[in-house]
Structure formats: C-alpha cells, structure tokens
Amino acid sequence: TTPPEVAMEADAAAQPASRPTGVFASMGAAAGAIAALEDENPVVQKVALEQLHAAVDECWAEAAGAVSTIEALSEDASFEGRELAASLASKIFFHLEEYDDSLRLALGAGPYFDVADRSEYVETLVSRCVDEYVGSAPPVATAATAAPSPDDDDGAAAVLLDPRLGAIVERM
C-alpha cells in the first residue's frame, strides 16, 4: 500500500496545472449570484451584489439580464447596498455602451465611484461629467436654487445641474 502522504502528492500532481480563478471560474457561474438577487433577504441580495461587482468585467453580459433588478435595488432607499447596486448597474450599462445610464447610476454609487481609479470606465465617465458640467454654462442652478426668481424677466431658464455631478468634478 502507498503511504497517505505519497498518495496525496500523487493526487496533487495529477491535478491540472492551472485552474480557473476569480469569483466565477466558468461561464454561467454568475447565474447563482444573479438568482440570489431575487431573494427577499437583503443580506443575500447584498452578498450577490458583492460577488457580481467583484467580477463585473467578466460577467457583465450575464448580469445584463438582471440590470433592471439591480437598478431597482439601487433606487430602494431602505436597501443598505443601494450604492453597491448603483455601481454594479453603472458598470453593466458602461459595458453595454449606455453611457448616460452608466453616468446617472455612477453618480448614485457614492464611494464605489472612485475618480482616482484610472480605469477606462472611470476615465470615460469622468470625461462625461466634465463635458456635462462645462456644457451647463451659466445660468447654472443646483436643485436647491432652481426656483424661478421674481426678478428674472428675461425668460432664460437656468440649467439644472445635478449636485452630484459637480461633486465629481470638484473631487478631481
């Protein structure tokens, strides 16, 4: 008989030299996390979002089928993982080349949208932020100051600027 140590070494040697790595090692493996998004338990949903977010560049095509569910989670004010959901949905829309939706959701992603990250995703959206910010030339108003002034008789409407967009530009 073969000693156990030798048998284990032989088994290890028989294993393939390289195994798939990452959160989802094979195509279709994201399906479990996507299915968990439908769970009623918010903890399960958040874990699923974390798994998908960690691998979004590899599984975005699979996750695209659930983007409406992910977006709904990002809009649920009572959901603790809403910023994570916004970030995930933003990245999925980015891969789908839906840049307006991607930017809208990135603005709601809080710390998950890091302007210091030099990825194509961040650089593209920051560029769009700057373009939109610059394109909102005076008169500019924030949501708090968008009310028409009684003294404003020239009929020019102020451009409503999302304060989150200004915050992104200012963080640069």
Side-chain angles (χ1 to χ4, degrees), residues 1-156:
T1 64
T2 308
E5 305 82 39
V6 174
M8 288 181 4
E9 287 176 16
D11 287 345
Q15 297 297 321
S18 65
R19 293 182 182 161
T21 59
V23 176
F24 303 113
S26 65
M27 286 301 285
I34 292 167
L37 294 173
E38 300 294 337
D39 197 292
E40 292 186 21
N41 184 336
V43 174
V44 172
Q45 292 172 325
K46 187 173 181 193
V47 169
L49 290 171
E50 289 167 349
Q51 292 173 342
L52 292 167
H53 192 263
V56 68
D57 291 331
E58 292 81 31
C59 71
W60 66 267
E62 284 181 89
V67 75
S68 60
T69 300
I70 298 165
E71 190 173 2
L73 289 171
S74 78
E75 295 168 353
D76 182 351
S78 67
F79 181 59
E80 184 181 315
R82 70 181 175 277
E83 289 178 333
L84 176 60
S87 178
L88 177 58
S90 173
K91 290 178 180 185
I92 293 168
F93 278 121
F94 176 80
H95 284 291
L96 293 170
E97 298 181 5
E98 296 289 338
Y99 300 121
D100 290 338
D101 287 330
S102 181
L103 177 58
R104 174 181 54 81
L105 287 153
L107 292 175
Y112 291 97
F113 185 66
D114 180 8
V115 297
D117 182 12
R118 292 296 161 209
S119 66
E120 180 183 1
Y121 163 74
V122 170
E123 288 182 2
T124 300
L125 294 187
V126 165
S127 175
R128 292 182 76 84
C129 278
V130 170
D131 290 348
E132 196 166 320
Y133 188 82
V134 171
S136 65
V140 174
T142 63
T145 62
S149 167
D151 300 335
D152 189 10
D153 59 343
D154 65 1

